[in-house]
Amino acid sequence: MSRRKRIAQHETSSGKVPAASPPTRGRRTFLLWAGAALGVSVAAGGAMSWAMTRNDAASPRDIKVVMGDGVRGPEGMAWIPGGGFLMGSDSRMAQPNEKPAHPARVHGFWMDAHHVTNAQFRRFVAATGYVTTAERKPDWETLRVQLPPGTPRPPESALVAGAMVFVGTDKPVPLQDYSRWWRFVPGADWRHPGGPDTNIAGKDDHPVVQVSFEDAQAYAKWAGKRLPTEAEWEFAARGGLEQATYAWGESFAPNGKQMANVWEGEQAQPFPVVNPKAGGAVGTSPVGTFPPNGYGLSDMTGNAWQWVADWYRADQFRREAAAGKLADNPTGPSDSWDPADPGVPVQAPKRVTRGGSFLCNEAYCLSYRPSARRGTDPYNSMSHLGFRRVMDESAWQASRRASQHQLASTTSDKPSR
């Protein structure tokens, strides 16, 4: 049976494509509830009323890939020219939180050509001594806001450093209970993404994972950059293709070619089954393994989810469409709202994550699409969650001037012979 036919049959029987994996109560709720760890609408036509122009949404043939080289732009970053586009999706694959497609515009910016890697994050830690969220004892106050009111404080012995790890299953299981394939593992962190007995040796060019929003923010600030807004991320992920299903076009595997590191097409077993004899749980691939999109960006979907700057509201796209005007360089809502996460207060703090990961698959998660989105606890760390950064042109020019001034000062301080 074809992939699209299976999707269509599923939609007919269930009414929608299943949500992204896993639900975002994540590490912090698992600390209290997972047991093993602790022993305990606006019509779519409204968006279409905005008349797009050819200059607003470039087609791939109109795009010239511009990569920074440290002189004419920040090294390792691609120039995203900005412009207008339809944000979100009205596709039959789209979740309610992606609807409706609505007009937005972003200004030009620079974006990392790939995820921040283990090697890059290691340099940051070496330079600053930074300790990630997963390496610290959890703070009860940040845990408490993700739990139902009145949840008792756990004993201190239960509050241990660690993170969420995908462990998979040894046979097919019902997909309603994500605790079957996710586990809170004490000692899991960015150096040990699968737990204390794992490491990242030989994976310098893989995305760093097991980093929280707070960790990503700290790294970006140290580098003189920032996290992208949700609108910037989606515009960049589309690569100039207006409302295409994938970052590379309409076909999941054009001419049979795999275009992203996702479960489907990469794994012989159905999700979430892993084969211990074949090396156990799956994981990230080196950045740049798959072809870049129209802006020269690798892995905008697949490989690892990516933190973005915005607070997450499940209804944000409906709110923006209802405003009836172009969302110009939007920076997102001022609060969080997510009624779809059982057991978590609807206004619990969440930040947007985008792009999907190596775990995405048609049976449970179709988030390897530019419009797919979800909300995640800002202090959550997971084995399929990383980030990339952006930089405004003004910030780049200021950095260049500062470097030139420092070089001039150093030169003038040298004694003459």
Side-chain angles (χ1 to χ4, degrees):
M1 184 183 296
S2 72
R3 174 178 175 277
R4 287 190 179 277
K5 186 176 291 186
R6 289 196 300 270
I7 293 172
Q9 285 189 355
H10 178 84
E11 289 175 328
T12 300
S13 62
S14 68
K16 64 177 182 178
V17 175
S21 160
T24 54
R25 70 178 70 169
R27 174 179 76 92
R28 294 138 59 77
T29 306
F30 259 63
L31 279 169
L32 301 180
W33 290 8
L38 296 183
V40 290
S41 158
V42 174
M48 298 299 182
S49 64
W50 178 52
M52 299 285 292
T53 69
R54 290 294 298 174
N55 291 331
D56 281 329
S59 64
R61 63 179 176 274
D62 298 325
I63 296 172
K64 178 182 179 182
V65 174
V66 177
M67 299 297 297
D69 58 5
V71 176
R72 290 169 292 183
E75 188 171 3
M77 304 189 87
W79 175 247
I80 312 302
F85 72 114
L86 283 175
M87 187 173 180
S89 174
D90 295 308
S91 162
R92 65 179 184 178
M93 295 184 186
Q95 293 288 308
N97 67 351
E98 302 171 43
K99 300 177 180 180
H102 59 284
R105 184 189 301 275
V106 296
H107 304 168
F109 57 95
W110 294 93
M111 178 176 253
D112 283 339
H114 54 69
H115 289 73
V116 171
T117 64
N118 287 319
Q120 290 174 312
F121 199 78
R122 184 185 297 112
R123 288 194 288 271
F124 159 62
V125 171
T128 64
Y130 183 82
V131 178
T132 63
T133 300
E135 296 172 283
R136 307 175 216 157
K137 177 181 177 180
D139 172 64
W140 168 242
E141 291 305 311
T142 63
L143 283 169
R144 183 177 58 81
V145 296
Q146 299 288 337
L147 301 169
T151 299
R153 178 179 178 131
E156 288 299 313
S157 60
L159 298 175
V160 296
M164 293 299 298
V165 174
F166 172 76
V167 295
T169 62
D170 60 2
K171 60 184 178 182
V173 296
L175 300 181
Q176 288 77 33
D177 181 7
Y178 65 91
S179 66
R180 289 173 178 260
W181 55 88
W182 282 96
R183 184 174 303 150
F184 177 78
V185 178
D189 56 46
W190 73 273
R191 293 185 182 91
H192 312 92
D197 295 331
T198 66
N199 60 63
I200 53 174
K203 295 184 177 181
D204 277 1
D205 58 352
H206 284 236
V208 64
V209 292
Q210 297 293 18
V211 285
S212 68
F213 178 85
E214 181 178 273
D215 302 332
Q217 285 277 69
Y219 178 92
K221 182 177 180 180
W222 171 77
K225 302 175 183 180
R226 61 180 175 83
L227 294 180
T229 65
E230 185 170 18
E232 287 173 333
W233 189 95
E234 183 171 327
F235 182 89
R238 291 190 176 280
L241 297 174
E242 186 67 65
Q243 285 291 292
T245 299
Y246 305 106
W248 52 86
E250 287 301 322
S251 174
F252 172 72
N255 298 316
K257 185 176 182 179
Q258 189 77 15
M259 299 296 287
N261 180 14
V262 297
W263 187 282
E264 184 181 358
E266 292 287 302
Q267 309 304 320
Q269 300 283 354
F271 180 84
V273 180
V274 295
N275 182 358
K277 294 182 179 180
V282 295
T284 56
S285 57
V287 298
T289 296
F290 298 92
N293 73 358
Y295 292 129
L297 304 171
S298 298
D299 300 323
M300 284 304 288
T301 56
N303 217 8
W305 285 90
Q306 301 166 54
W307 289 107
V308 299
D310 300 29
W311 291 107
Y312 173 77
R313 285 191 65 101
D315 64 348
Q316 182 60 16
F317 287 7
R318 294 197 299 274
R319 286 157 49 112
E320 290 179 354
K325 61 181 180 180
L326 173 70
D328 191 18
N329 222 43
T331 56
S334 59
D335 59 0
S336 301
W337 184 75
D338 184 6
D341 199 352
V344 178
V346 296
Q347 293 181 321
K350 291 184 179 181
R351 296 284 182 170
V352 174
T353 47
R354 286 286 203 134
S357 76
F358 59 84
L359 296 179
C360 280
N361 62 95
E362 72 172 42
Y364 189 70
C365 167
L366 279 170
S367 293
Y368 40 87
R369 297 173 294 107
S371 59
R373 58 196 297 263
R374 75 176 192 183
T376 303
D377 173 358
Y379 290 91
N380 202 6
S381 303
M382 306 182 81
S383 53
H384 68 342
L385 179 54
F387 69 104
R388 71 178 74 206
R389 307 150 303 166
V390 298
M391 191 177 200
D392 297 316
E393 175 65 12
S394 59
W396 162 244
Q397 294 298 337
S399 175
R400 285 276 292 158
R401 288 192 296 271
S403 296
Q404 291 169 351
H405 177 73
Q406 184 177 17
L407 178 62
S409 298
T410 302
T411 303
S412 64
D413 288 342
K414 289 182 178 180
S416 58
R417 293 185 177 180

